[in-house]
Amino acid sequence: MSDDKAKTGAPDRDRINVNEDYELQYWTKALGVSADELREAVRAAGTSADAVRRHLGK
């Protein structure tokens, strides 16, 4: 199922999509990291928000 671009409210809280600007902005603010740090964490840990939090030590 594809994302509905008209619905840019709160992103899915279980997955991180660093290819969508609104999600990138949300997750960098929520996790207190830069966009580059978030991209690297997703590359290393996968798109699961929990896995990224663990990777970042959050």
Side-chain angles (χ1 to χ4, degrees):
M1 178 168 47
S2 64
D3 286 341
D4 182 351
K5 302 301 182 207
K7 297 179 182 178
T8 60
D12 181 351
R13 299 293 189 251
D14 296 331
R15 301 280 170 209
I16 299 175
N17 181 352
V18 295
N19 298 313
E20 295 293 341
D21 287 338
Y22 66 95
E23 286 200 33
L24 190 62
Q25 290 173 354
Y26 170 81
W27 287 109
T28 55
K29 184 175 180 182
L31 297 173
V33 296
S34 71
D36 288 336
E37 289 171 317
L38 181 61
R39 285 186 188 101
E40 178 55 35
V42 168
R43 224 180 338 267
T47 60
S48 165
D50 288 337
V52 170
R53 283 187 182 100
R54 282 192 302 273
H55 179 78
L56 293 170
K58 306 276 180 186

